[in-house]
Amino acid sequence: MKTAVSEGTLPLTLQYFDPRSGTRLERMFFNHRGIVVGLCALATLILGWLALGTTLHTSFERMMPAKHPYIVNYLEKKDELKGQTNTLRIAVQAVRAGSIYDAGYLETLRQLNDEVFLLPGVNRAFMKSLWTPSTRWLGVTEEGLEGGPVVPPDFDGSPKTIAELRANVARSGEIGQLVAEDMRSTIVLVPLLDQDPRTGKPLDYAELSEVLEQLRAKYEAQGVRLYITGFGKLSGDLLEGMRQVLAFFGVAILICTVVLYVYTRCVRSTLLVVSCSLVAVLWLLGLLRLLGLQLDPYSILVPFLVFAIGMSHGAQKMNGIMQDIGRGAHRLVAARHTFRRLFLAGLTALIADVLGFAVLLVIDIPVIKDLAVAASAGVALLILTNLVLLPVLLSYVGVSPRAAAHSLRSEAEPPTAGTGTDRAWVLLGMFTQRRAALAALAVAGVLAIFAFLLSSQVKIGDLDPGAPELRADSRYNLDTAFLAKRYAASSDIFVVMVTTPAAQCSNYDTLVKVDALEWELQQLPGVESTQSFAGLTRQVTSGMSEGNLKWAEILNNQGAINNVIPRAPSQLLNASCDLLPIHVYLSDHKADTLTAVVRAVERFAALNDTPDVKFKLTAGNAGIEAVTNIVVKRANWQMLLLVYAAVIVLSYVTFRSWRAVICTVLPLALTSLLCEALMVMLGIGIKVATLPVIALGVGIGVDYSLYVLSVTLTHLRAGLSLSEAYQRALRFTGKVVVLTALTLGIAVATWVWSPIKFQADMGVLLAFMFIANMIGALILLPALGYWLLRPEAPRPARAFAAATEGHAANA
């Protein structure tokens, strides 16, 4: 026999439930459940098939802020600067022979040189080693100024030709450049093209790295040792590390599944939440391929985040359905009631996440923009998979009776009962009282001052030598250390471009200015050496004067200067003589080193530029990184302002209260300050890899405040005191907020063991922000609420809303 439903309660049984009730969205989804499931299944098949073709890729040009004026300068002269930016350095050490002046070593070097020369993607015109014709010597003999290739044309490995080679090397100026100072190794300089000439597609650095490792194994068996550096090899190592990262995805799935099962005690609903989160990842990968985007070392992290965020929001939906089923509701009724209560809050939280990712679009670096697009799209897909598809599927399968009963067990007892969870809720509820609120705010104030002072010391860019993307003990960084120790010409090259009218680059006045800039740069810490046409002119002038160093000057004689041009290598001036590159070899690419060089050049250019002669920044891998640091420094503040503006607007639209906005934003701001302080303590700089962290942490961290504050305000508007309202919010959402933070924190904390160091850094910082934001939502938010939030006089409509919420949440 049917019984009437009392006022102030929600119908629990299917027979009393009106399918025409609810919002238009709810009716559209739940009254056509079969169509929703069918369309989602079709989308999964199509996008899943596309996802199978997902590839890992990296590109040198996509790492550059292409619209920055200094990069525009480089791109204008890019074709004339080939071989000076994206270049491999292969150092070949004579292990067995002990010296490069050994016939066996030199033959091995020749074979390696020829094999590398034929690799696809090598810019052969600019390749350089002892065996390339472009490596020449210049010297003064009894017959005048002479020169030729360093390796004699008749070289046959005999003692005579080896002695001639030794003399040529000494006269070439390549000691410290191509030849190590200890004469135990030489370098094969390998400039790379942007595209593979065989396919016309971007160069596959993973394939190139694999070939280089094969060459390493092959030639090290012949008594030499190879040390390989350069963007191409670094990218290959990163791509290899990215494949290992996929194992962390499996670990994250396992951790999230276990945590969720421990909370729910329901196998089928746990697997359903995991499946819906994985569906979002699958859709994302397929969509990226549909949009022509690829995963790179930065966006590879996005699937982790999408999955973890999906798990946290899925847990919220499953928690509501479990509680309603535990009270006797039919699974369809429970799903629809949960959709009504949580869809708007979940939608608001996900929109906040989308905005947190989307603000990264202001950063003028293509790889970061790709990350922003991928992350925003992935989180947007969660609206369909975890806010719509998951409740619809749960309306079919429900949850186990044991799990439903377990979800209500602690709520059946008063808050002062002896369970650990209840004691935690009572303890947290104390922060709505004056004394505890004052203590919490005082501690927060001290932390804010400490964090502000420490965060002011945060650096922009890399703080360590070598490739910061990889571990210090990685093969690549060990190779980098070898080259830095034995060669004056390091792999960190900063190029200043001096532009003149056509055929005017060799003018005396121009060369004097170039020489003066070189001298200034050589005085800077971190600058090992410089190289330019002006320096070559000095060398030749001295050579024409029997090698007398007193004549190592630039003569005010245009004819003498012009005689140097035919002997100048192509990297020192271009064919039209309107570009003079100044190569600055740095000991490292630390932020302080790069900043000092940039400021010195800017200062010199401001004093010496003329309408015809201009000193322009910048080229070279270190130059590109210097510009990237400039962009990152500016984008850091832009990003923070935008993400907080978005959070403030979204919070106000949601709560319609400036007091609630303050309660939401201040804990987030404290966490942001603490995160930058942590970066200083851990020696992590703000760079391309870590710049997104704060935006991601704020965008995701605001979810906790939204869930807690929305329920608290509902009860305050019904006339309950802050303490009672907050206690009810904790008992309804507290467990899930903690579960969310732990799930996200544990999932990203596994990145600490990644071979890619910047991923490990992001894992530490994100885990900290997730946990700190959770603590802020549970402690600092109610403490602020004591001063800002007040109960309102209940109105009939609000009283009914509170009653229905109470039935669903507390009851």
Side-chain angles (χ1 to χ4, degrees), residues 266-286:
C266 179
V267 174
R268 58 186 172 186
S269 55
T270 297
L271 293 179
L272 204 57
V273 173
V274 172
S275 299
C276 285
S277 300
L278 288 175
V279 165
V281 173
L282 198 64
W283 286 9
L284 172 62
L285 296 178

Side-chain angles (χ1 to χ4, degrees), residues 370-500:
D370 289 350
L371 183 150
V373 171
S376 299
V379 175
L381 290 172
L382 289 173
I383 296 174
L384 294 175
T385 61
N386 288 66
L387 299 190
V388 176
L389 179 60
L390 178 60
V392 168
L393 291 176
L394 284 171
S395 73
Y396 281 114
V397 303
V399 299
S400 68
R402 175 173 171 264
H406 175 76
S407 69
L408 296 178
R409 189 167 299 148
S410 62
E411 296 185 15
E413 302 171 350
T416 55
T419 64
T421 301
D422 282 329
R423 284 198 300 269
W425 298 159
V426 171
L427 180 63
L428 290 172
M430 293 173 59
F431 291 101
T432 60
Q433 306 301 319
R434 181 183 180 88
R435 181 177 297 179
L438 277 173
L441 293 178
V443 171
V446 172
L447 286 176
I449 295 172
F450 166 78
F452 177 77
L453 294 176
L454 197 57
S455 65
S456 63
Q457 303 174 32
V458 69
K459 298 289 187 179
I460 303 295
D462 296 327
L463 306 183
D464 299 306
E469 296 86 353
L470 299 173
R471 302 283 186 178
D473 59 352
S474 66
R475 180 65 185 265
Y476 183 89
N477 277 330
L478 293 176
D479 288 358
T480 299
F482 175 88
L483 268 72
K485 184 177 180 180
R486 290 166 176 79
Y487 292 87
S490 71
S491 57
D492 295 314
I493 304 176
F494 191 108
V495 178
V496 181
M497 298 172 288
V498 185
T499 60
T500 70

